[in-house]
Amino acid sequence: MMRSLLAILWIGSGFTTAADRPDLIVADFEGERYAAGWKTTGTAFGNGPAKGTLSGQMAVTGFLGKGLVNSFRGGDDSTGTLTSPQFKLERKYLSFLIGGGQHPGKTCINLIVNGKTVRTATGPNDRPGGSERLDWHTWDVGELAGQKATLQIVDEQKGGWGHINVDHIVQSDRKKQAALVVREFAVNQSYLHLPVRTGAPMRRMKFRIGKDVVREFDIELAVDVKPDAWTFAEVDAFRGKNLLVECTLPADATLDAIKLAPDLPNAKSLYREKYRPLVHFTSRFGWLNDPNGLVFDGKEYHLFYQHNPFGVNWGNMHWGHAVSPDLMHWEELGIGLYPKKYGDWAFSGSAIVDTGNTSGWGTKEKPPLVLAYTSTARGECIAYSNDSGRTWTEYDQNPVVKHAGRDPKLLWYEPGKHWVMAVYDEFQAKRWIAFYTSQDLKKWSFASRIEGFFECPDLYSLPLDDNPAHGTKWVLSAADGKYLVGDFDGKAFQPDSKEKKQLWYGNFYAAQTFENAPMPGPNIGSGAINPPRPPRIQIGWASGTTFPGMPFNQQMTTPVALRLNNTSGGPRLSAWPYALNSDKISAAEIKIPGTRFGKDNKPRKGVYRLADKLDAFSVFAEIDVLDAETVGFDLRGAKLIVDVKKKTITCKGVSAPMLFTSPFNEHLPKRLVLNVVVDRGSVEVFADHGLVAMSVAALPEASNSAVELLWTGGEITVVQLKVERLKSAWPNH
């Protein structure tokens, strides 16, 4: 009864509740110029509201209508103020949308009464990254009712996040700013389903058991809107306990849509989505980037990876985890590595099998798996597993290396009987790979460093031409895939040359090779000539490969077998698809091997359809280009073109040099040898017998299911050509 009485306001001869009184808009910033009475100083605010994002600015979202106050005019170094005319405070709350830099007193909005600042608010961003999204902020101004006030929006900050965004200032009897909402679950099932709306305001969510925070992450939670996807949190670890879920939400919003469940959300349609790649690894939900911890434990291959389980954009860095018996068919397991706490993210690293149990964390009969990763708050850390990577225990003396850097790569150096950690290192304002050594994976000593590499190092040895009798060389690379060949004595790397070499082009980053992998069999991919049997298998992140409208984002490249070839230009890496699950198209569909095209003055430009009704597929081709100017393929709308004169190969804006050479025989005629893998989000090309590799982001045309041979300007002879349909590696397909 008391609540109702307090809510009644007498107006004239009638009455109404506070909730019924309409909001009073102070400013909506929808005009071409600021409304009458608003005054500016400096240059940051211009003559009128901005129409959204300004030049050089990240995308601005969360404002209402078409305009807002945005002091990014001229960049972060512009300054000024924007001051309102006086207005009367007539409601309990004054609310507004705000974004931009978090510099109190410098990038802010102030409420001024009787010449004094009585309320102030600033933006949310105080470090690189962040978001230009505006969100509601509310001041309780009930004690100031009836007084005259002025608003001043201030930008007196230069440099990073030196600007402020404001929109839709409104007086109301309801709070608009988000408030903490808590919901309790008695955990008796495996998963907590979470509704997501990509582009919604980012919310901080916490899981608590009692007073302890056991999970904390950011999520674009679908609040009062239909979710466009469902993600999940694994909660088996809390079974039998009461789990508190906390999140700050807009006024009147709830967490009612979250639910406990025995299965994954959308389990029946999982891996059957429209753009789900058939033969490239993607996470069941969320974002992925760098492959981490690639290791074979004697029974299965482990693929860990940088992962945001709660959204399709980068953030919340966990380690995802999948296993495979054959590098074709993957089973996703639970989260491999959780961040220790919010802000202490699990960045990239590697894994090994401690075969000799040097660490003492297992036995010689059952050696432990050991991984190294970068804790963003602590340094290089170690964890170990005695159950095939299903659960992990942190070394209690972490970090084992503390420096300015990240992304540790572990390997065993057999001649010296010790472990090596190759890790990206920032030293004397330069970029290096540093090398540390250890006898037991616990205590590490600095050995040396080499300049000129950025992020995600990899280090391994390969026999020249697969023959140890020809000698063995070491390969050192970093995130961009460019590499040096040289010698490594367990402590220092000595390159054979100063200039790096390049194998991969296009959408390719942060590749790693498998540790402890068995010697591959001879069938490592369609069309291999003298198939090599190298001990290194590589997977990279196909960075920038996106899938519109899907609940997942980004993919890995197909696993490739690496070989170190003796060439006239010195040792060079080659790559060839390691394993593809395929069905050959019948010979009746492709009748052209041995056929010469363009002869006898027939058309100097041609198209020959090879196959139709394709989804994912591979093409292997050997073509003598003779006097043709170009030759290539139309791959479901993505044109792959070799320019014979320029000696380049190009697909959707990605180009690489062509040598028309073979690591097996450099005196072959001018012959084009290609292996192409086409999936729902990418085209991967292996040319010059694998000396050139390209990863290209390419969504196939929905109305085009064909592959066609293309040529211009002369004659070509097809020596060998085959197309294979690729079968899905996923269980539901």
Side-chain angles (χ1 to χ4, degrees):
M1 182 65 180
M2 181 61 70
R3 180 180 179 275
S4 298
L5 289 173
L6 290 175
I8 294 175
L9 299 174
W10 291 93
I11 300 178
S13 59
F15 68 90
T16 184
T17 64
D20 292 331
R21 291 200 298 176
D23 292 351
L24 300 176
I25 295 177
V26 178
D28 60 10
F29 303 109
E30 289 300 290
E32 293 297 320
R33 292 183 174 274
Y34 296 119
W38 285 80
K39 297 179 180 179
T40 64
T41 65
T43 61
F45 295 95
N47 296 321
K51 300 303 180 184
T53 307
L54 295 174
S55 176
Q57 188 176 26
M58 291 191 298
V60 179
T61 61
F63 61 96
L64 300 178
K66 297 180 179 179
L68 77 155
V69 174
N70 185 344
S71 71
F72 194 76
R73 283 183 171 85
D76 270 334
D77 284 349
S78 61
T79 59
T81 63
L82 175 64
T83 305
S84 77
Q86 275 196 339
F87 62 97
K88 185 178 180 181
L89 294 170
E90 301 180 67
R91 297 289 188 271
K92 181 173 175 55
Y93 300 109
L94 185 66
S95 296
F96 45 88
L97 290 161
I98 188 169
Q102 188 182 92
H103 302 287
K106 297 288 188 178
T107 55
C108 59
I109 178 171
N110 299 324
L111 180 68
I112 300 171
V113 176
N114 296 325
K116 295 182 178 180
T117 298
V118 295
R119 303 285 188 275
T120 187
T122 187
N125 301 288
D126 63 350
R127 64 196 65 190
S131 167
E132 289 279 17
R133 184 172 182 86
L134 284 73
D135 212 343
W136 285 108
H137 189 92
T138 297
W139 290 323
D140 186 334
V141 294
E143 66 185 51
L144 303 171
Q147 297 192 52
K148 295 289 184 69
T150 301
L151 288 166
Q152 185 181 55
I153 304 174
V154 178
D155 179 355
E156 295 296 342
Q157 178 72 32
K158 294 184 178 183
W161 284 110
H163 66 277
I164 187 77
N165 301 327
V166 174
D167 191 28
H168 209 75
I169 304 170
V170 60
Q171 297 192 64
S172 178
D173 287 313
R174 288 178 178 269
K175 271 189 175 182
K176 295 184 182 293
Q177 183 175 338
L180 185 66
V181 177
V182 181
R183 187 176 173 198
E184 186 172 6
F185 294 87
V187 180
N188 57 7
Q189 301 191 71
S190 298
Y191 301 101
L192 201 62
H193 291 190
L194 305 171
V196 174
R197 182 81 175 188
T198 301
M202 193 69 73
R203 306 290 178 189
R204 180 78 53 81
M205 183 169 282
K206 295 180 182 180
F207 293 175
R208 291 185 186 272
I209 300 292
K211 294 182 179 180
D212 296 330
V213 176
V214 293
R215 300 274 190 273
E216 187 174 3
F217 51 89
D218 294 325
I219 184 171
E220 293 170 302
L221 196 67
V223 178
D224 296 333
V225 294
K226 183 179 179 181
D228 56 18
W230 287 84
T231 186
F232 60 92
E234 299 160 323
V235 292
D236 254 335
F238 314 124
R239 190 175 284 266
K241 299 179 181 180
N242 290 337
L243 180 70
L244 297 175
V245 178
E246 299 180 357
C247 193
T248 299
L249 300 178
D252 302 325
T254 71
L255 294 172
D256 291 349
I258 298 175
K259 55 188 177 184
L260 276 168
D263 300 312
L264 295 173
N266 305 315
K268 291 184 179 180
S269 61
L270 187 62
Y271 304 122
R272 303 187 66 167
E273 299 91 348
K274 178 180 179 181
Y275 291 127
R276 176 74 68 174
L278 299 190
V279 297
H280 289 81
F281 181 83
T282 50
S283 189
R284 51 196 168 192
F285 179 87
W287 167 275
L288 69 74
N289 54 289
D290 306 358
N292 299 152
L294 304 189
V295 66
F296 182 75
D297 68 1
K299 294 182 179 179
E300 57 190 3
Y301 294 90
H302 294 261
L303 165 62
F304 298 91
Y305 55 94
Q306 292 285 277
H307 182 37
N308 179 6
F310 305 113
V312 295
N313 295 309
W314 188 95
N316 296 312
M317 282 296 101
H318 296 55
W319 275 31
H321 187 195
V323 294
S324 172
D326 56 10
L327 292 170
M328 289 186 290
H329 301 89
W330 292 97
E331 176 191 358
E332 290 191 73
L333 304 180
I335 297 298
L337 192 64
Y338 284 95
K340 196 169 182 66
K341 63 180 181 179
Y342 184 89
D344 185 2
W345 304 116
F347 270 23
S348 293
S350 58
I352 51 88
V353 180
D354 184 9
T355 306
N357 193 34
T358 62
S359 63
W361 289 322
T363 66
K364 288 188 177 180
E365 293 73 27
K366 293 188 67 175
L369 280 176
V370 179
L371 62 80
Y373 73 99
T374 298
S375 151
T376 57
R378 293 172 289 153
E380 313 311 335
C381 293
I382 297 286
Y384 61 91
S385 172
N386 290 304
D387 59 1
S388 299
R390 270 56 178 179
T391 60
W392 293 88
T393 301
E394 272 224 18
Y395 175 44
D396 59 9
Q397 299 298 310
N398 278 335
V400 296
V401 172
K402 195 168 181 62
H403 69 131
R406 56 187 176 273
D407 312 332
K409 168 69 176 183
L410 297 181
L411 65 144
W412 175 254
Y413 184 69
E414 179 61 26
K417 304 295 182 185
H418 66 251
W419 295 101
V420 174
M421 178 190 294
V423 63
Y424 170 62
D425 192 49
E426 294 178 350
F427 178 69
Q428 295 181 341
K430 297 178 182 179
R431 293 172 170 177
W432 314 71
I433 291 176
F435 302 100
Y436 291 78
T437 63
S438 174
Q439 298 295 323
D440 59 5
L441 294 164
K442 300 173 183 176
K443 296 180 181 178
W444 292 85
S445 300
F446 173 78
S448 68
R449 57 172 58 92
I450 182 172
E451 189 183 352
F453 291 88
F454 178 64
E455 295 188 329
C456 305
D458 199 5
L459 175 66
Y460 50 91
S461 63
L462 284 172
L464 290 168
D465 297 327
D466 301 333
N467 189 343
H470 293 176
T472 297
K473 284 290 186 178
W474 287 79
V475 179
L476 179 66
S477 63
D480 65 1
K482 295 179 181 179
Y483 64 94
L484 289 175
V485 177
D487 297 310
F488 182 66
D489 64 1
K491 293 185 177 181
F493 183 86
Q494 297 295 331
D496 289 347
S497 63
K498 292 183 179 180
E499 186 177 350
K500 294 178 187 174
K501 298 177 181 179
Q502 187 168 355
L503 166 64
W504 282 95
Y505 297 80
N507 300 84
F508 184 83
Y509 200 74
Q512 291 287 295
T513 56
F514 277 89
E515 292 299 324
N516 204 48
M519 188 73 76
N523 183 22
I524 65 162
S526 172
I529 300 175
N530 299 325
R533 297 167 57 89
R536 300 310 291 194
I537 302 165
Q538 182 188 62
I539 293 178
W541 168 35
S543 59
T545 306
T546 59
F547 305 92
M550 295 294 99
F552 57 90
N553 191 6
Q554 308 293 300
Q555 71 172 32
M556 297 300 176
T557 61
T558 190
V560 297
L562 293 180
R563 184 176 192 240
L564 193 58
N565 312 279
N566 255 323
T567 73
S568 59
R572 289 185 58 195
L573 285 175
S574 63
W576 206 258
Y578 176 78
L580 293 170
N581 199 21
S582 62
D583 285 328
K584 293 181 180 179
I585 292 176
S586 68
E589 293 184 64
I590 304 176
K591 302 177 181 179
I592 64 172
T595 302
R596 178 177 288 194
F597 289 84
K599 62 181 179 179
D600 301 329
N601 295 318
K602 290 184 179 179
R604 310 280 286 178
K605 175 180 179 181
V607 177
Y608 189 98
R609 180 159 294 199
L610 302 173
D612 208 337
K613 299 179 181 179
L614 296 172
D615 192 346
F617 60 97
S618 66
V619 179
F620 176 74
E622 285 187 80
I623 299 173
D624 288 339
V625 298
L626 303 179
D627 62 345
E629 295 174 359
T630 68
V631 61
F633 297 91
D634 187 322
L635 307 159
R636 295 194 61 192
K639 289 184 170 59
L640 174 68
I641 302 297
V642 174
D643 188 309
V644 179
K645 185 176 181 180
K646 294 180 180 178
K647 291 189 175 181
T648 60
I649 183 167
T650 303
C651 183
K652 293 186 74 69
V654 176
S655 292
M658 281 285 294
L659 302 177
F660 294 100
T661 189
S662 163
F664 311 105
N665 182 355
E666 296 186 0
H667 303 290
L668 285 174
K670 193 161 60 175
R671 179 169 292 177
L672 174 65
V673 179
L674 288 176
N675 200 349
V676 184
V677 180
V678 180
D679 208 345
R680 291 180 176 176
S682 62
V683 173
E684 289 172 331
V685 184
F686 304 90
D688 280 348
H689 297 267
L691 291 172
V692 173
M694 291 168 50
S695 174
V696 181
L699 284 174
E701 294 178 356
S703 60
N704 187 344
S705 63
V707 55
E708 296 175 329
L709 174 66
L710 311 173
W711 73 95
T712 63
E715 295 181 329
I716 60 172
T717 296
V718 175
V719 178
Q720 185 181 173
L721 181 60
K722 57 182 174 181
V723 178
E724 296 181 346
R725 289 190 175 92
L726 299 179
K727 296 188 290 188
S728 175
W730 300 110
N732 281 0
H733 219 279

